[in-house]
Amino acid sequence: MEKPNNHQTGGALGTPIPLVNLARYEVDARVITDMAIYRRELEQLWARSWLLLGHDSEIPRSGDYMIRYMGDDAVIVTRDRDDQIQVMLNACTHRGMAVCRAEMGRANTFICPYHGWTFGLDGRLKMTPVANQRMEGNLLSRQELGLKKARVGIFCGMIFATFDGGAPPLEEFLGDAAWYLRLMYDRSGNGLEVLGPPQRWLIDGNWKLAAEQFVGGDAYHVMTLHRSIFEMGLIGNVADITADEAPGAMGWDIAFPEGHSFRCAPMDFSPIFGKERAEKMTAREKLLALPPPGMTPALVEEMFTRFDDEQLQMMADRPPTVGGLFPNVGTHNFLWPHPDGGILGAAYGLHAFIPRGPDRVEWWNWQLVEKDAPKELKDRIAETCIMAVGPTGMLEADDGECWPFMQRVAKGAEAGRGVTGVIKYHAMIGENRPGDWPPSAGGTVSEGFSKDDGQWAFWRRYNELMGDGAGE
Amino acid sequence: MSDAQLFVNAPEVPLDSPDRIRATDPTYWQLHEFLNDEAALLDADQLLQWLELTADDVRYRMPVRVGVHRGFGDGFARRMYFYNDTKKVLAMRIHRLVGTRNGWVEDPPSRTSRFVTGVRAYTSDKPEEFVVHSKLLLTRSRSDLGEVKLLSAHRLDRLRRQGGDIKLANRDIYLDQTTINMHNMAVFL
């Protein structure tokens, strides 16, 4: 079958339509609504990317399993008898029934409820009833009839998988983003654990509406969409984000050719310690005085043994707070106060945006805590995380408000034409990496007010994967 | 198997408990009336008035749920919630909606109806407090879409007599859904 190229996928009208206009920094709004484009994404993008499925603390013991999604495909994630994490398609090789219908649990085998084909935790076909009737027939061997396996990669406890045997290793897929990712999720010896199963909720909008904001590290929307949070003085005040200067919106966008990006925010210790003292404080002093979100001074001491001086300086002065991994992962780690006072809380965790057709996305939210954090801190984060993020979060409830309305707009014939018909990323900074940015920290660094650089990295990568062989 | 550690069960349904307050008892109807009244306030978007019906030490929780096989319990998470709020957090959420100019999520407000049924009441270890179970169906209409979004749940409340009033002292909301079919949630159940 002839592969259409990326300039013709909107071809229902028979005219070439560039989806991503690299010269003009524009995206055709049709990528939001078109079923043909969605199908192409499943083949070209989802099937070729490393995808986040969860955290290894969700299935801590041998025999634990959970159902997760890779694009439109349901997979079973297990911890097998050898303590290895396995990912396999949740589809019986016989007639295609889902062999596992519980969302989590513990098992020795998966027995297809339809005809009883029985698979091991590693996906091998163990038996078919009735043994002496050989119901698997003679065309294929039992070895060939195991559940379809995916390649698995673990990074900072995060479980990734891909069905693409030709995809580069996970480390290569993450690229230089791994350096920043470790700052967010690899701070302590014993690592992180989830507070429980993820929140899940459905939004009547295309997955990319959510993904370009998170994966692209959009900080520009904060001053309007999340203005209520500043009106309430929760993480700054309205003066910080005034339309003329917006000093609170300054920072660094870091974008990567793999499509990932992060937003680093400046830490100012002078309100706490006074300007003179703050200027003299070392990175270690700062990190002990105000531990990064979700940490304690004891855990900070562990961080000192894991990170080098450049990493510690970055953590103290310019930590990554939000961002994401291509194609559909959101990352966040920022402080969040509790109105009852007491220890500081945090919003700490991971998002994934699971496609459910061109006009629907399922949002997943995992909350993370340091395994070795004291119970009081874990309990506090179990309160503050969902004050900020998730469907009830005072930040993200407003994010969810935009996408269904954008989806409805994109369906209109008139809205699909002319100036409105393209989604715009015209406000680019480009690379202006500060002289004191750590040499070991990669990526394209854009300093200043948050503009469109991170999101454009998402669309560049999207264009590569959706194009005709480009990006390979 | 220590899977009981992972999940919490839905509340039990003790039909024959000696603590049960039967429907022939006027107290039953006072508690029932309270549930109807607070639902009416929420339906009418009278959020500050609703907040006044909560005790100062109220705890308001809605755990995440997953579907698990029989024998693994009812699949309610122990420490992962949609709501896990004290009174000050509830007040903050409500203030964001009615006291700031940018609570987009509920402006324009959703049109909601709460259908409260299946009310069962019990005395508790404290003479002034009652344990009250109810079923709730929430309907939510947003903008001019024809579709109505639904949430259904079992609620387990502690209601407290305080002066001449009744206050909500604790609410645990046990959802039927794993995946919430709403793009956000700033409504109370």
Side-chain angles (χ1 to χ4, degrees):
Chain A
M1 195 181 76
E2 200 178 31
K3 282 162 85 180
N5 72 40
N6 63 325
H7 293 271
Q8 292 170 343
T9 36
L13 299 175
T15 44
I17 298 155
L19 296 178
V20 177
N21 188 327
L22 294 173
R24 289 183 57 85
Y25 301 95
E26 291 170 351
V27 180
D28 193 302
R30 219 166 293 224
V31 299
I32 303 306
T33 54
D34 190 301
M35 184 51 126
I37 294 173
Y38 178 78
R39 290 231 172 87
R40 189 170 168 80
E41 287 171 354
L42 292 178
E43 298 289 339
Q44 294 282 105
L45 186 154
W46 295 101
R48 291 158 71 193
S49 300
W50 284 94
L51 302 171
L52 177 73
L53 303 185
H55 194 267
D56 65 2
S57 62
E58 292 182 90
I59 45 171
R61 302 154 307 173
S62 168
D64 288 347
Y65 68 84
M66 55 190 181
I67 298 295
R68 294 294 144 93
Y69 295 90
M70 296 171 66
D72 260 356
D73 289 308
V75 294
I76 314 173
V77 184
T78 68
R79 190 180 287 270
D80 71 12
R81 292 278 161 257
D82 301 321
D83 208 34
Q84 296 300 303
I85 287 175
Q86 305 271 359
V87 175
M88 60 208 84
L89 201 62
N90 185 20
C92 184
T93 45
H94 181 216
R95 300 274 166 82
M97 171 65 187
V99 299
C100 179
R101 293 163 306 124
E103 293 145 35
M104 291 186 85
R106 203 168 182 210
N108 296 314
T109 53
F110 298 103
I111 304 172
C112 179
Y114 197 178
H115 299 93
W117 286 29
T118 301
F119 302 89
L121 291 169
D122 55 1
R124 275 184 310 120
L125 177 61
K126 297 181 87 155
M127 55 92 62
T128 61
V130 171
N132 67 1
Q133 297 297 325
R134 281 196 64 83
M135 288 304 290
E136 69 271 29
N138 299 316
L139 279 175
L140 293 169
S141 69
R142 281 198 184 171
Q143 283 74 20
E144 292 169 289
L145 288 167
L147 298 177
K148 180 171 179 166
K149 299 281 289 289
R151 293 166 64 195
V152 179
I154 314 279
F155 190 84
C156 303
M158 302 172 207
I159 304 169
F160 294 87
T162 180
F163 281 108
D164 184 1
L170 176 62
E171 293 67 29
E172 203 175 308
F173 172 83
L174 295 173
D176 285 339
W179 192 92
Y180 299 87
L181 204 56
R182 283 197 60 221
L183 298 188
M184 297 181 86
Y185 299 107
D186 195 20
R187 299 167 172 180
S188 67
N190 275 335
L192 300 165
E193 65 185 13
V194 295
L195 277 173
Q199 296 175 326
R200 295 167 61 177
W201 66 112
L202 283 162
I203 297 173
D204 294 328
N206 186 277
W207 69 273
K208 296 185 293 300
L209 296 171
E212 66 91 42
Q213 186 206 114
F214 279 85
V215 178
D218 183 326
Y220 179 36
H221 76 285
V222 171
M223 58 196 304
T224 307
L225 190 65
H226 302 312
R227 197 171 190 84
S228 65
I229 302 304
F230 294 85
E231 284 188 63
M232 295 164 75
L234 283 174
I235 53 170
N237 54 57
V238 173
D240 294 333
I241 53 165
T242 48
D244 291 342
E245 298 197 5
M250 295 298 158
W252 301 268
D253 284 334
I254 329 296
F256 306 89
E258 295 82 5
H260 322 307
S261 75
F262 295 103
R263 176 72 179 170
C264 296
M267 292 291 293
D268 184 4
F269 288 83
S270 50
I272 312 172
F273 299 104
K275 196 165 187 297
E276 199 175 330
R277 189 177 157 208
E279 278 172 6
K280 287 183 190 145
M281 286 172 84
T282 65
R284 283 177 167 76
E285 285 168 344
K286 288 176 181 172
L287 291 165
L288 283 170
L290 182 60
M295 299 196 83
T296 60
L299 288 162
V300 169
E301 294 282 0
E302 277 184 39
M303 193 170 71
F304 292 164
T305 69
R306 302 175 65 77
F307 290 166
D308 63 25
D309 287 346
E310 288 184 357
Q311 290 170 305
L312 292 176
Q313 200 69 52
M314 185 73 101
M315 285 302 297
D317 295 331
R318 301 181 280 211
T321 53
V322 293
L325 302 174
F326 190 89
N328 69 329
V329 176
T331 61
H332 57 270
N333 179 241
F334 52 86
L335 293 169
W336 192 270
H338 195 290
D340 291 351
I343 51 176
L344 261 176
Y348 195 9
L350 292 162
H351 293 329
F353 301 98
I354 310 297
R356 300 288 189 204
D359 50 10
R360 212 158 202 226
V361 59
E362 189 176 311
W363 191 343
W364 293 51
N365 175 37
W366 289 267
Q367 291 175 20
L368 295 169
V369 288
E370 295 284 355
K371 267 181 199 156
D372 290 343
K375 181 179 180 300
E376 302 73 44
L377 182 54
K378 291 181 183 178
D379 287 344
R380 179 43 54 99
I381 292 173
E383 295 171 319
T384 55
C385 212
I386 55 172
M387 289 169 62
V389 302
T392 53
M394 289 185 273
L395 286 170
E396 291 186 346
D398 284 338
D399 289 303
E401 190 64 16
C402 287
W403 303 322
F405 285 92
M406 293 167 80
Q407 191 72 24
R408 289 178 76 187
V409 168
K411 284 178 183 167
E414 208 52 54
R417 280 194 274 268
V419 174
T420 325
V422 290
I423 308 166
K424 294 165 201 68
Y425 299 87
H426 293 170
M428 298 288 292
I429 295 176
E431 170 108 50
N432 64 354
R433 170 186 282 249
D436 62 345
W437 202 260
S440 59
T444 301
V445 183
S446 302
E447 180 178 52
F449 188 89
S450 178
K451 293 197 172 173
D452 294 334
D453 297 81
Q455 290 144 90
W456 194 246
F458 170 87
W459 286 111
R460 283 189 74 98
R461 183 63 183 147
Y462 178 85
N463 186 59
E464 282 174 10
L465 286 171
M466 291 290 282
D468 194 9
E472 286 170 3
Chain B
M1 182 101 67
S2 57
D3 295 287
Q5 294 169 2
L6 196 56
F7 298 116
V8 178
N9 284 346
E12 288 179 12
V13 184
L15 297 182
D16 298 326
S17 162
D19 302 331
R20 185 148 185 195
I21 304 169
R22 311 302 312 201
T24 46
D25 187 328
T27 302
Y28 174 88
W29 290 105
Q30 285 169 2
L31 299 169
H32 203 308
E33 187 176 52
F34 174 88
L35 295 181
N36 284 339
D37 288 353
E38 57 133 1
L41 286 178
L42 289 170
D43 288 351
D45 200 31
Q46 303 288 306
L47 299 176
L48 291 169
Q49 289 86 337
W50 175 76
L51 188 63
E52 286 174 17
L53 296 185
T54 61
D56 288 343
D57 60 345
V58 67
R59 194 80 192 194
Y60 181 91
R61 282 185 167 131
M62 185 160 89
V64 166
R65 180 173 210 177
V66 294
V68 293
H69 279 300
R70 288 181 195 279
F72 286 78
D74 296 319
F76 290 102
R78 280 190 179 276
R79 201 145 62 169
M80 185 73 189
Y81 302 94
F82 289 102
Y83 289 108
N84 180 13
D85 293 358
T86 63
K87 180 145 187 168
K88 281 187 179 168
V89 179
L90 287 172
M92 182 184 278
R93 290 184 190 277
I94 289 169
H95 173 70
R96 192 176 87 81
L97 302 180
V98 302
T100 78
R101 288 177 299 161
N102 297 283
W104 308 109
V105 56
E106 283 297 329
D107 190 13
S110 302
R111 280 68 51 87
T112 58
S113 289
R114 287 161 185 78
F115 301 88
V116 182
T117 182
V119 176
R120 283 176 292 111
Y122 301 85
T123 56
S124 78
D125 47 345
K126 294 178 184 163
E128 73 281 15
E129 286 189 3
F130 304 93
V131 174
V132 182
H133 297 249
S134 60
K135 299 294 283 188
L136 181 80
L137 178 68
L138 171 84
T139 64
R140 179 182 174 201
S141 296
R142 191 102 187 98
S143 80
D144 56 356
L145 293 167
E147 192 183 358
V148 174
K149 303 283 187 180
L150 302 175
L151 270 184
S152 54
H154 181 144
R155 297 187 306 184
L156 175 56
D157 296 338
R158 265 195 180 242
L159 301 185
R160 184 184 298 154
R161 275 196 207 281
Q162 197 172 302
D165 300 327
I166 296 177
K167 300 279 187 188
L168 179 66
N170 194 83
R171 171 160 289 167
D172 290 308
I173 303 155
Y174 296 94
L175 287 173
D176 293 335
Q177 285 98 329
T178 293
T179 306
I180 290 182
N181 186 20
M182 291 183 182
H183 61 286
N184 52 24
M185 191 160 49
V187 294
F188 300 98
L189 289 89

mmCIF file of all heavy atoms in Angstrom, chain B residues 54-67:
data_model
loop_
_atom_site.group_PDB
_atom_site.id
_atom_site.type_symbol
_atom_site.label_atom_id
_atom_site.label_comp_id
_atom_site.label_asym_id
_atom_site.label_seq_id
_atom_site.Cartn_x
_atom_site.Cartn_y
_atom_site.Cartn_z
ATOM 1 N N THR B 54 -21.491 22.341 57.048
ATOM 2 C CA THR B 54 -20.419 21.406 57.395
ATOM 3 C C THR B 54 -19.818 21.794 58.743
ATOM 4 O O THR B 54 -19.711 22.982 59.073
ATOM 5 C CB THR B 54 -19.303 21.402 56.330
ATOM 6 O OG1 THR B 54 -18.722 22.707 56.241
ATOM 7 C CG2 THR B 54 -19.841 20.993 54.968
ATOM 8 N N ALA B 55 -19.436 20.783 59.522
ATOM 9 C CA ALA B 55 -18.801 21.019 60.830
ATOM 10 C C ALA B 55 -17.386 21.562 60.612
ATOM 11 O O ALA B 55 -16.786 21.356 59.557
ATOM 12 C CB ALA B 55 -18.746 19.720 61.624
ATOM 13 N N ASP B 56 -16.867 22.262 61.598
ATOM 14 C CA ASP B 56 -15.527 22.844 61.458
ATOM 15 C C ASP B 56 -14.463 21.765 61.263
ATOM 16 O O ASP B 56 -13.424 22.018 60.669
ATOM 17 C CB ASP B 56 -15.176 23.695 62.691
ATOM 18 C CG ASP B 56 -15.987 24.979 62.703
ATOM 19 O OD1 ASP B 56 -16.540 25.335 61.637
ATOM 20 O OD2 ASP B 56 -16.087 25.612 63.776
ATOM 21 N N ASP B 57 -14.709 20.562 61.793
ATOM 22 C CA ASP B 57 -13.727 19.483 61.665
ATOM 23 C C ASP B 57 -14.130 18.488 60.579
ATOM 24 O O ASP B 57 -13.714 17.333 60.579
ATOM 25 C CB ASP B 57 -13.561 18.753 63.006
ATOM 26 C CG ASP B 57 -14.869 18.134 63.482
ATOM 27 O OD1 ASP B 57 -15.941 18.502 62.942
ATOM 28 O OD2 ASP B 57 -14.823 17.276 64.389
ATOM 29 N N VAL B 58 -14.916 18.952 59.617
ATOM 30 C CA VAL B 58 -15.417 18.035 58.581
ATOM 31 C C VAL B 58 -14.252 17.452 57.780
ATOM 32 O O VAL B 58 -13.225 18.096 57.569
ATOM 33 C CB VAL B 58 -16.395 18.771 57.631
ATOM 34 C CG1 VAL B 58 -15.689 19.834 56.814
ATOM 35 C CG2 VAL B 58 -17.097 17.775 56.702
ATOM 36 N N ARG B 59 -14.421 16.207 57.364
ATOM 37 C CA ARG B 59 -13.500 15.597 56.408
ATOM 38 C C ARG B 59 -14.343 15.120 55.241
ATOM 39 O O ARG B 59 -15.365 14.457 55.446
ATOM 40 C CB ARG B 59 -12.770 14.408 57.068
ATOM 41 C CG ARG B 59 -11.591 13.947 56.275
ATOM 42 C CD ARG B 59 -10.403 14.853 56.523
ATOM 43 N NE ARG B 59 -9.349 14.582 55.561
ATOM 44 C CZ ARG B 59 -8.094 15.029 55.699
ATOM 45 N NH1 ARG B 59 -7.738 15.746 56.742
ATOM 46 N NH2 ARG B 59 -7.202 14.751 54.788
ATOM 47 N N TYR B 60 -13.901 15.473 54.044
ATOM 48 C CA TYR B 60 -14.697 15.225 52.838
ATOM 49 C C TYR B 60 -13.820 14.476 51.853
ATOM 50 O O TYR B 60 -12.852 15.019 51.343
ATOM 51 C CB TYR B 60 -15.150 16.577 52.289
ATOM 52 C CG TYR B 60 -16.008 16.523 51.055
ATOM 53 C CD1 TYR B 60 -17.396 16.468 51.144
ATOM 54 C CD2 TYR B 60 -15.431 16.564 49.796
ATOM 55 C CE1 TYR B 60 -18.179 16.440 50.006
ATOM 56 C CE2 TYR B 60 -16.205 16.537 48.653
ATOM 57 C CZ TYR B 60 -17.577 16.474 48.772
ATOM 58 O OH TYR B 60 -18.355 16.451 47.638
ATOM 59 N N ARG B 61 -14.156 13.201 51.614
ATOM 60 C CA ARG B 61 -13.245 12.368 50.827
ATOM 61 C C ARG B 61 -13.972 11.620 49.723
ATOM 62 O O ARG B 61 -15.097 11.154 49.909
ATOM 63 C CB ARG B 61 -12.577 11.319 51.716
ATOM 64 C CG ARG B 61 -11.455 11.861 52.561
ATOM 65 C CD ARG B 61 -10.796 10.706 53.288
ATOM 66 N NE ARG B 61 -9.551 11.109 53.868
ATOM 67 C CZ ARG B 61 -9.194 10.869 55.150
ATOM 68 N NH1 ARG B 61 -10.008 10.222 55.942
ATOM 69 N NH2 ARG B 61 -8.028 11.274 55.598
ATOM 70 N N MET B 62 -13.279 11.468 48.612
ATOM 71 C CA MET B 62 -13.773 10.623 47.522
ATOM 72 C C MET B 62 -12.588 9.843 46.964
ATOM 73 O O MET B 62 -11.768 10.386 46.232
ATOM 74 C CB MET B 62 -14.411 11.489 46.433
ATOM 75 C CG MET B 62 -15.047 10.697 45.314
ATOM 76 S SD MET B 62 -16.249 11.685 44.375
ATOM 77 C CE MET B 62 -15.188 12.386 43.141
ATOM 78 N N PRO B 63 -12.443 8.574 47.340
ATOM 79 C CA PRO B 63 -11.277 7.813 46.883
ATOM 80 C C PRO B 63 -11.380 7.389 45.417
ATOM 81 O O PRO B 63 -12.478 7.228 44.882
ATOM 82 C CB PRO B 63 -11.280 6.584 47.810
ATOM 83 C CG PRO B 63 -12.690 6.425 48.231
ATOM 84 C CD PRO B 63 -13.294 7.807 48.258
ATOM 85 N N VAL B 64 -10.221 7.193 44.816
ATOM 86 C CA VAL B 64 -10.135 6.597 43.480
ATOM 87 C C VAL B 64 -10.551 5.137 43.574
ATOM 88 O O VAL B 64 -10.326 4.473 44.595
ATOM 89 C CB VAL B 64 -8.688 6.716 42.956
ATOM 90 C CG1 VAL B 64 -8.446 5.818 41.747
ATOM 91 C CG2 VAL B 64 -8.371 8.175 42.604
ATOM 92 N N ARG B 65 -11.163 4.626 42.532
ATOM 93 C CA ARG B 65 -11.603 3.229 42.506
ATOM 94 C C ARG B 65 -11.048 2.517 41.293
ATOM 95 O O ARG B 65 -10.888 3.139 40.234
ATOM 96 C CB ARG B 65 -13.127 3.201 42.429
ATOM 97 C CG ARG B 65 -13.668 1.791 42.398
ATOM 98 C CD ARG B 65 -15.160 1.732 42.489
ATOM 99 N NE ARG B 65 -15.529 0.490 43.152
ATOM 100 C CZ ARG B 65 -16.747 0.140 43.447
ATOM 101 N NH1 ARG B 65 -17.749 0.923 43.167
ATOM 102 N NH2 ARG B 65 -16.996 -1.010 44.046
ATOM 103 N N VAL B 66 -10.749 1.247 41.439
ATOM 104 C CA VAL B 66 -10.423 0.413 40.277
ATOM 105 C C VAL B 66 -11.268 -0.855 40.336
ATOM 106 O O VAL B 66 -11.688 -1.287 41.407
ATOM 107 C CB VAL B 66 -8.922 0.030 40.216
ATOM 108 C CG1 VAL B 66 -8.065 1.258 39.980
ATOM 109 C CG2 VAL B 66 -8.484 -0.703 41.461
ATOM 110 N N GLY B 67 -11.507 -1.437 39.158
ATOM 111 C CA GLY B 67 -12.295 -2.666 39.068
ATOM 112 C C GLY B 67 -11.391 -3.874 39.268
ATOM 113 O O GLY B 67 -10.423 -4.049 38.536
#
